Amino acid sequence: MTFSTLQNLAFRLSVTLFFLVLFSGRISAQDKDSIAIQYILKGKSFYKADDYEKSITYYNKALALVEKTKNDVLIGDIHTKKGHAYLLSGKNKEALDAYDKGLSMAKKTKDLDQEFVINSGLIQVLRRMNRLDKAHTIASGMIKSLDQTSFKNTHNHVNILTTVSDIYLAREQYDSVLFFSKKGIEVSKNLDYKEGLVDFYIKKGMIFYYKKEYDKSFKYLFDAQDILLEHDITNQSFPKVNINYFLASSYYEKGLYDKAIEILHKTTDAAEEKDVMKPPVIQSYLLLANCYGEKKDFEKALYWNNEYVRLIENYQKDKDETLNSIYEKDAQKLKSEIENLKKEKEKGENIKKITFGIVTLLVLILIFIVFKYVKKQKLNKILFNDLLEKINQLESNGAIDVKKESSKEIIIDDDKVVEVLKGLTRLEDQEYFLKSDCSLRAMAKKVKTNATYLSKIINIHKEKNFNDYINDLRIEYALMRIKNDKKFRSFSIKSIATEIGYKSDYSFAKHFKAKTGINPSYYIKNIQKQETSFETV
């Protein structure tokens, strides 16, 4: 008889005993907690087997028991485990709710270790929702107070370093990721912690992919893959998807499309319904479409692109619901603080005055925030209308900058300069600026000059530096394409960013707002509203 069989038999016996005691009317709080622990262990076994739905079912059964016994420690632990299960199954809103309840219990029982575990998961949800500033604040606090916990030089120490690295990765601070990865690998090796090594090897593979050092990327990704093959590691599905995606991405960049397709199909073929809400899985569908597009197999390219659009729309809906939940919790926190101030008001005249002053201040702050919001909305509307007018002018005249028109007359009297400017015009017509590898050196080579000379020509005749020149072309292209291409407008911000040459949606949004004064999401939303109103008329 195997250990697993014995474990299942013990669980069934304990549940049978529970119901016998229940029907005899002699069940105690201790009995309920004992059965709850059996449910938790059963839930953990399904969690390790990547069956998160069954795992949550057993956690809920355990929760129903311990809530009656008011065992705050077990209640907090179960909510935390539910949060982890929801997180890995891609249910961000449910994960957020579970972590919030677990955090409340951890603070109530003053369990700093448990707070750390919960915050690690909470950061992952915030990162998915692009709440990077809030996630970074939590992560920084965890690093500073690490010595106050029992996690130093343990598996949890590695997990915290992993969480912090994820934030810096999302913020594109690659040197910081490499710094924390080095520490994480060192601690993981000392502990012989294979899960930690896998995670940090994947991160280093990702960084070198972003740096376009594909051979180094392959090395770390294959190292991670070897560990997964050679060792019995729980929850392998997520690291496998990440490894496959970045291996395929590296092969794609090297022009090895068949190799990339072979690896990506390992992900899509193995993906179950619960997996398709995970960003790396969704992006695998888009990369497949791009690979087939490069091979001129447009039928398959269209199929995988349609699948990607369907999945990204569902993911975006879930993301919006989670963001609403985050904002609702922030609002509820402010409301609770005001209620507490009202209670303090009853303690005496001095406290009354203080409370009144604070409430007044909060109201004034709230009024100020509303005023700023309304003002910002009006300004955004003005900027949007001005921008639309300029785009219409661009469509009519074919020459306008997204930020300002230049009235300065440029005199060209150098034959070499004329040739370079003609070359730049040709590259603009070919939309070379949309390529992610478009650089000053690469462009100089194409117009048959050197980088220094090209930079000077752009500074003088385009009246801007090279980066602003490329960004202006990309943003102008995005404005026109979003306005006129309904399908392009339905893409996610990240997909649009990738389409026009940016490596991240953060970079795209930053440059878009710098050039136009509004966020790309606001522009898309109002273009859609305008189109809908025209269709109604």
Side-chain angles (χ1 to χ4, degrees):
M1 187 177 291
T2 65
F3 176 75
S4 176
T5 304
L6 286 171
Q7 191 178 36
N8 285 331
L9 181 59
F11 173 72
R12 288 174 186 152
L13 286 171
S14 63
V15 174
T16 303
L17 178 62
F18 167 71
F19 283 109
L20 285 173
V21 175
L22 175 64
F23 291 128
S24 68
R26 295 195 305 272
I27 188 166
S28 66
Q30 187 176 359
D31 292 327
K32 290 180 181 177
D33 286 348
S34 297
I35 298 300
I37 291 171
Q38 294 299 320
Y39 280 134
I40 293 170
L41 291 174
K42 194 69 175 176
K44 284 178 68 176
S45 68
F46 282 115
Y47 176 83
K48 289 180 179 179
D50 295 340
D51 193 340
Y52 306 117
E53 187 174 340
K54 285 185 179 178
S55 173
I56 291 165
T57 298
Y58 278 98
Y59 290 149
N60 283 333
K61 289 181 179 181
L63 193 60
L65 288 172
V66 297
E67 282 179 340
K68 294 177 182 177
T69 65
K70 301 188 184 303
N71 188 328
D72 291 341
V73 173
L74 276 179
I75 291 172
D77 182 57
I78 295 168
H79 281 303
T80 302
K81 286 179 168 57
K82 282 180 63 179
H84 294 340
Y86 281 128
L87 179 68
L88 288 182
S89 60
K91 296 181 178 180
N92 299 318
K93 184 178 184 300
E94 291 83 352
L96 183 70
D97 290 339
Y99 284 138
D100 187 62
K101 292 172 183 175
L103 196 59
S104 175
M105 285 298 170
K107 289 179 178 178
K108 184 178 179 180
T109 57
K110 298 181 180 179
D111 189 342
L112 185 59
D113 284 3
Q114 186 73 345
E115 284 189 44
F116 261 57
V117 173
I118 295 167
N119 280 330
S120 295
L122 185 58
I123 284 171
Q124 299 297 340
V125 178
L126 292 169
R127 182 174 63 85
R128 288 179 182 179
M129 300 302 106
N130 211 28
R131 295 287 301 274
L132 299 182
D133 290 339
K134 188 170 183 178
H136 181 260
T137 300
I138 296 173
S140 298
M142 291 172 69
I143 290 293
K144 290 177 183 177
S145 56
L146 181 61
D147 290 337
Q148 299 173 31
T149 71
S150 62
F151 293 158
K152 188 74 172 178
N153 294 324
T154 67
H155 287 188
N156 279 324
H157 184 176
V158 176
N159 295 338
I160 290 166
L161 292 174
T162 297
T163 300
V164 173
S165 298
D166 285 333
I167 299 305
Y168 285 113
L169 186 61
R171 291 162 69 99
E172 299 183 36
Q173 294 173 272
Y174 300 141
D175 289 339
S176 295
V177 180
L178 291 174
F179 171 78
F180 283 109
S181 294
K182 183 179 179 182
K183 292 182 67 175
I185 290 171
E186 180 183 336
V187 179
S188 296
K189 285 183 176 179
N190 289 337
L191 297 170
D192 195 29
Y193 184 31
K194 302 302 182 184
E195 286 87 345
L197 282 176
V198 167
D199 197 89
F200 282 113
Y201 283 151
I202 292 173
K203 282 180 173 54
K204 293 194 79 169
M206 293 166 66
I207 295 304
F208 287 116
Y209 165 76
Y210 290 132
K211 287 176 172 284
K212 299 186 178 182
E213 298 179 39
Y214 302 119
D215 290 337
K216 286 185 178 179
S217 178
F218 282 133
K219 176 189 179 304
Y220 285 106
L221 292 171
F222 282 128
D223 283 348
Q225 190 175 70
D226 288 343
I227 294 174
L228 288 178
L229 291 172
E230 295 169 5
H231 299 276
D232 184 18
I233 295 175
T234 60
N235 299 321
Q236 289 198 16
S237 61
F238 199 74
K240 281 181 179 177
V241 170
N242 266 324
I243 291 170
N244 288 344
Y245 178 76
F246 284 98
L247 282 175
S249 295
S250 298
Y251 282 125
Y252 175 83
E253 294 296 335
K254 292 171 77 71
L256 302 172
Y257 306 121
D258 288 330
K259 191 70 176 174
I261 289 170
E262 178 187 346
I263 292 174
L264 289 169
H265 275 303
K266 291 180 181 178
T267 295
T268 58
D269 292 347
E272 300 177 13
E273 190 63 31
K274 60 185 175 62
D275 298 321
V276 293
M277 286 294 283
K278 298 174 182 177
V281 177
I282 297 174
Q283 291 303 115
S284 296
Y285 283 74
L286 179 61
L287 186 55
L288 258 178
N290 291 339
C291 287
Y292 281 117
E294 292 292 342
K295 287 170 61 64
K296 310 301 181 187
D297 190 341
F298 298 117
E299 183 178 349
K300 289 183 179 178
L302 181 61
Y303 169 79
W304 289 106
N305 185 72
N306 288 338
E307 286 295 291
Y308 165 76
V309 171
R310 177 179 66 84
L311 294 175
I312 201 67
E313 285 176 352
N314 291 336
Y315 176 77
Q316 190 64 41
K317 181 181 178 182
D318 178 73
K319 180 177 176 181
D320 291 342
E321 288 177 355
T322 308
L323 279 174
N324 287 338
S325 179
I326 291 173
Y327 291 126
E328 284 170 9
K329 291 182 190 302
D330 290 343
Q332 186 61 40
K333 184 179 178 182
L334 177 60
K335 183 180 178 181
S336 298
E337 289 172 355
I338 293 174
E339 288 298 324
N340 289 334
L341 288 173
K342 288 180 179 179
K343 291 177 182 178
E344 290 294 322
K345 189 177 179 182
E346 299 172 358
K347 291 182 179 179
E349 282 299 318
N350 291 334
I351 298 178
K352 281 183 179 181
K353 292 177 182 178
I354 295 171
T355 304
F356 178 78
I358 293 175
V359 172
T360 302
L361 179 61
L362 285 172
V363 171
L364 289 173
I365 291 172
L366 189 60
I367 292 171
F368 176 74
I369 291 172
V370 172
F371 171 77
K372 292 288 288 184
Y373 175 80
V374 173
K375 186 176 179 181
K376 184 180 178 182
Q377 291 298 104
K378 288 182 178 178
L379 178 60
N380 282 343
K381 190 172 182 180
I382 292 171
L383 289 170
F384 173 80
N385 290 333
D386 289 344
L387 189 59
L388 208 58
E389 185 178 342
K390 288 182 179 181
I391 293 171
N392 291 333
Q393 185 178 347
L394 174 63
E395 290 176 328
S396 301
N397 303 332
I400 186 171
D401 186 87
V402 294
K403 199 167 186 181
K404 63 177 183 178
E405 295 182 54
S406 175
S407 58
K408 181 177 177 181
E409 184 177 352
I410 300 173
I411 300 173
I412 303 173
D413 56 5
D414 187 325
D415 290 340
K416 179 60 178 175
V417 173
V418 171
E419 287 302 312
V420 171
L421 289 173
K422 285 181 179 178
L424 287 177
T425 301
R426 184 179 69 255
L427 291 177
E428 289 177 14
D429 292 339
Q430 295 171 356
E431 298 178 346
Y432 178 74
F433 54 86
L434 297 180
K435 295 183 177 294
S436 61
D437 57 357
C438 175
S439 65
L440 179 62
R441 192 176 301 278
M443 188 169 275
K445 187 175 180 180
K446 286 191 174 290
V447 297
K448 298 179 180 178
T449 186
N450 60 61
T452 302
Y453 192 61
L454 177 60
S455 178
K456 289 181 180 179
I457 291 176
I458 291 173
N459 283 333
I460 294 171
H461 296 286
K462 301 292 185 180
E463 297 184 283
K464 60 189 78 173
N465 62 37
F466 176 78
N467 287 335
D468 285 342
Y469 168 63
I470 295 300
N471 283 321
D472 285 354
L473 289 171
R474 287 176 174 175
I475 300 306
E476 182 177 289
Y477 175 89
L479 289 167
M480 296 286 289
R481 182 91 181 270
I482 289 168
K483 178 177 180 291
N484 297 313
D485 188 340
K486 187 174 182 179
K487 185 176 181 181
F488 185 76
R489 194 159 64 238
S490 70
F491 289 174
S492 68
I493 298 298
K494 184 174 181 64
S495 298
I496 293 174
T498 303
E499 183 82 9
I500 65 173
Y502 289 106
K503 291 184 174 61
S504 72
D505 51 351
Y506 173 79
S507 297
F508 167 54
K510 180 178 71 175
H511 291 300
F512 190 101
K513 187 167 185 179
K515 300 300 177 184
T516 66
I518 58 177
N519 290 317
S521 57
Y522 180 89
Y523 176 70
I524 292 170
K525 183 178 178 181
N526 280 272
I527 287 289
Q528 288 172 333
K529 281 184 180 179
Q530 189 177 73
E531 185 176 78
T532 302
S533 65
F534 284 147
E535 289 174 353
T536 304
V537 173

